[in-house]
């Protein structure tokens, strides 16, 4: 990981910004890349937010826990759900605006809390769970890799 950072810094110097698209040289191609990236973020946000919003709504008592008896109660439930979702999205926007100057720290924190467990901790544990007849050596190596991943998450 440090090799990539060092290679990037050697290539582009200290002018590299946290958002990589902002480090592109000025021109039509870089503007196109930035616009395309912005459009991709806008249109994929609902797909990214949907699972988390579903969890929140189900915990709050969303569509699975409410028995709908009439069109009015269904409409009221839908309005409550949309209101709650809108509040959450607005709060995410406020957090994004407040954290814009700390983007590098946010990316680092998310990488250590989410990325490392997905890459190094969970796969060996899932392998041990799914492959019941694996050797003891394989199981121990899987546990060692998970411990290394846990250490990497704590250090990062």
């Amino acid at each position: 990981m440090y090799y990539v950072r060092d290679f990037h810094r050697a290539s582009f110097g200290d002018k590299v910004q946290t958002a990589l698209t902002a480090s592109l040289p000025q021109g039509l191609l870089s503007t196109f890349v930035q616009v395309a990236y912005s459009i991709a973020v806008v249109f994929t946000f609902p797909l990214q937010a949907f699972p988390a919003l579903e969890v929140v709504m189900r915990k709050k008592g969303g569509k699975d826990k409410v028995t709908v008896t009439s069109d009015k109660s269904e409409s009221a439930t839908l309005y409550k759900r949309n209101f709650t979702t809108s509040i959450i999205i607005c709060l995410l926007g406020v957090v994004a605006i407040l954290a814009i100057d700390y983007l590098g720290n946010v990316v680092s924190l998310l990488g250590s809390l989410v990325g490392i467990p997905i890459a190094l901790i969970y796969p060996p544990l899932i392998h041990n769970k799914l492959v019941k007849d694996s050797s003891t050596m394989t199981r121990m190596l899987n546990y060692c890799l998970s411990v290394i991943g846990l250490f990497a998450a704590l250090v990062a």
Side-chain angles (χ1 to χ4, degrees):
M1 181 164 73
Y2 293 112
Y3 299 121
V4 174
R5 182 202 63 193
D6 293 340
F7 179 75
H8 192 264
R9 188 162 302 271
S11 299
F12 299 106
D14 290 333
K15 297 177 184 175
V16 177
Q17 297 178 9
T18 304
L20 190 59
T21 56
S23 298
L24 295 173
Q26 296 299 320
L28 186 62
L29 181 62
S30 67
T31 303
F32 176 75
V33 168
Q34 290 172 344
V35 168
Y37 183 74
S38 299
I39 290 171
V41 168
V42 167
F43 284 117
T44 59
F45 180 75
L47 295 173
Q48 296 171 18
F50 179 74
L53 291 173
E54 276 297 307
V55 168
V56 169
M57 294 312 297
R58 288 186 185 191
K59 290 291 183 186
K60 185 178 177 281
K63 65 182 180 185
D64 287 350
K65 295 185 179 180
V66 175
T67 307
V68 177
T69 57
S70 69
D71 287 340
K72 286 185 179 181
S73 63
E74 182 177 347
S75 178
T77 302
L78 186 60
Y79 284 129
K80 287 179 189 175
R81 180 181 176 86
N82 288 343
F83 180 74
T84 304
T85 301
S86 298
I87 294 296
I88 292 171
I89 297 298
C90 289
L91 288 174
L92 285 173
V94 169
V95 168
I97 289 169
L98 294 176
I100 194 70
D101 294 332
Y102 307 103
L103 182 62
N105 295 339
V106 171
V107 169
S108 176
L109 184 63
L110 287 176
S112 66
L113 294 177
V114 178
I116 291 175
I118 288 174
L120 295 176
I121 298 173
Y122 299 140
L125 295 177
I126 291 171
H127 181 264
N128 282 348
K129 186 84 169 166
L130 293 177
V131 183
K132 300 286 186 192
D133 58 346
S134 63
S135 67
T136 305
M137 183 65 165
T138 301
R139 288 185 173 280
M140 294 310 293
L141 285 173
N142 283 340
Y143 287 128
C144 287
L145 183 57
S146 293
V147 168
I148 290 170
L150 184 63
F151 178 73
L154 292 175
V155 169

